[in-house]
Amino acid sequence: MTSHSSLPPMAQVRQLPCDGDGVCMLCKVKPSDEDNLSCKTCATPWHLNCLTSRPETIASALQWECPDCTSLSLDLPPATASGGASDDLIAKIREIEADASLTERQKAKMRQELMMRGNACLDGDEKDHKRKRGKEEEMNVGRGGGSNDVLDLLDGSLNCSFCMQLPERPVTTPCGHNFCLKCFQKWVGQGKRTCAKCRCSIPSKMASQPRINSTLVVAIRMAKVSKSIGSGGPSKVYHFVHNRNRPDKAYTTERAQRSGKANAASGKIFVTISPDHFGPIPAENDPERNQGVLVGECWEDRLECRQWGAHFPHVAGIAGQSNYGAQSVALSGGYQDDEDHGEWFLYTGSGGRDLSGNRRTNKDQSFDQKFEKLNQALQVSCLKGYPVRVVRSHKEKRSSYAPEKGVRYDGVYRIEKCWRKVGIQGFKVCRYLFVRCDNEPAPWTSDEHGDRPRPLPVISELKKATEITERKDCPLWDFDEEECCWKWKKPPPPSRKRVATGKSEDIKRSRNAMRRAQNMSVREKLLKEFSCLICRQVMTLPITTPCAHNFCKLCLEDAFAGKTFVRERSRGGRMLRSQKNVMNCPSCPTDISDFLQNPQVNRELMEVIESLKSKTEEENGNCIESSEETDGNEDGDPSSASAEADIENSEITGVVDGVQTLNKSKPKRSREHRKIDIGESSLGAERLKEGNDSPSSPLHMQSDDDFQ
DNA sequence: GGGCCCGCAGGG
DNA sequence: CCCTGCGGGCCC
């Protein structure tokens, strides 16, 4: 064999195409037209001089196939018959290429879809994803023109390079490229550890635990909603949860303040629901804000979550009464058997552990769980079809759907089935299948609408299950086809408890921000979503951390500027200097030191922000600039107050052994200051220029799979 | 990061 | 009144 597909894998890895700007990713030079070679299969441009094997004639150059496409057959599972699926696939791709009725973009899309499909079987989730993408595509066709439209703007820049559509559950790689969670997972599932767009390596943590970039989720949904309203579609107004609209500080009792949160009495309950209230918490039970508890609302911890009524017990995972039903559950990684798929998950009951003495959280199971007490309460909710509120905690590390920080309300679910099986630890556990049934979209989806009834997932462990409980009667909480929403089909069970709250005087919030938000154009609202978590202004050079937080490049630089990065810990009376530096994300306790070696600007996002800005400025002159100025200075404005609080938080969580701190005294960067060049240089590269020996320069560690 | 210790709330 | 519980701070 003489073709480069026979080269060893490493040799192929050394071959890289040109990036989106046409610059060769190997030699970093933009090839001239003569040196630019396009693959006939995927149309990617390559630098002729950097190829290990070049076509010899002009004719063969026209028929040239890039190393990625020729190695395609290597990636695919062995074909069933000789010739097989890979040949078939390539034949199909050629067919697409030859079709003169298609535009280049359509061709690219179809090529990508074929590549994604491969000849592997799709699991249920994936089929769902494909179906959904297909549907969206139909809708997009109907969308038509509107060149000035924000959705088109996002659509052009942020598309997932696998399915060529706006990313569903977007995840962002450290190199700054955005993909659908499913597409990304499929890619890494094939053993790929480089970015599909730029071939940068993907850290193993990102590959195994990708986090959803909620900034993008909200932005995409907002754009979609604005579009459907604009086109005379549903005019329902969806809430977008902004941290700045939340109360500044959770209420704590005097005693709690004395003894600290570990021993805190829970604070005042802000909502007027009884502790055995089922279902969402509506606006009429939220006298302070008059908006109810919204899907996506986040709290610092379980105590604060309790104060807003989403989940009352401050330790237990299940709220309920054995003969009455369960109102809410918390997913916080306490049980290994849990399995989270976002819209549905498998939950494990409580009990089976020895909690005698001082042990409150023994993780080891030492006897079987039974359908009694709180486990029975969940069973009642299953049989009756009650809505069960679900909160997810950052402590659940294995789920892509867990928040990076604190506790988040994710809406109501119904328990469709429950059973008992032998758990991972060898003792019997109670198991529950939760399926989402909320009128508001989940925090991780860009859908404009909430859930629709969906077929139940196939649960393989049911084969070995005992005591399977399924609902026989109609569920009390169900989807109304006429009204197109979830509602009580029969009245909920009467409350047996009193409302545990008085009138709260502790929280004073202005509604100005909300009113102002209502008057803002979609573009301005979107721009607000793209705020840096440090400076609170629209990001100039957006950077997405592996923990899915977004910052200006310069703010992130500032946050770590002039700091000593060697981590010291005392152990056994001696000071130990650890090999690896630890630098925490300013927004959460994730160590982003590896990422900081070479953080990449999210150029796709930057493009969107720039277009939004220029279009808004075109229309409003300097309105945005001035409104932002007043925003920050206005007294009593929850946005500014909460922003301060968040910065305060980041100073606590962002510190590692007191070595790294955000420089609070540093004056806020002026907007002029922020307008700097968008050159190729990354944070790491700039640091490099300062000199490797400078104390501020992070160690340059070479990761194993970093081939450059 | 793991273990220990603590207090609190709610079910029964 | 006792038991249970997917917390949280702090120390090592």
Side-chain angles (χ1 to χ4, degrees), chain A residues 148 513 602 702:
Chain A
N148 206 20
N602 190 335
Q702 204 76 14

Side-chain angles (χ1 to χ4, degrees), chain A residues 201 548 610:
Chain A
S201 68
E610 291 303 319

Side-chain angles (χ1 to χ4, degrees), chain A residues 154-166:
Chain A
L154 297 187
D155 206 5
S157 308
L158 283 180
N159 284 356
C160 164
S161 19
F162 294 108
C163 62
M164 298 302 278
Q165 304 193 28
L166 277 173

Side-chain angles (χ1 to χ4, degrees), chain A residues 245-271:
Chain A
N245 290 340
R246 292 199 284 109
D248 307 358
K249 217 59 217 144
Y251 178 88
T252 41
T253 60
E254 232 179 278
R255 177 164 184 181
Q257 283 166 350
R258 267 208 311 275
S259 49
K261 250 188 181 165
N263 301 324
S266 61
K268 190 168 258 179
I269 309 294
F270 298 133
V271 290

Side-chain angles (χ1 to χ4, degrees), chain A residues 4 7 11-17 26 46 50-53 67-68:
Chain A
H4 28 239
L7 291 168
Q12 286 182 37
V13 142
R14 290 190 191 284
Q15 300 206 67
L16 293 173
L26 217 54
W46 291 68
C50 287
L51 287 170
T52 49
S53 164
D68 280 357

Side-chain angles (χ1 to χ4, degrees), chain A residues 417-419 433 457-466 468:
Chain A
K417 281 176 188 173
C418 52
W419 60 92
L433 167 62
V458 178
I459 312 293
S460 53
E461 69 176 59
L462 271 174
K463 276 180 253 164
K464 289 183 191 162
T466 57
I468 300 174

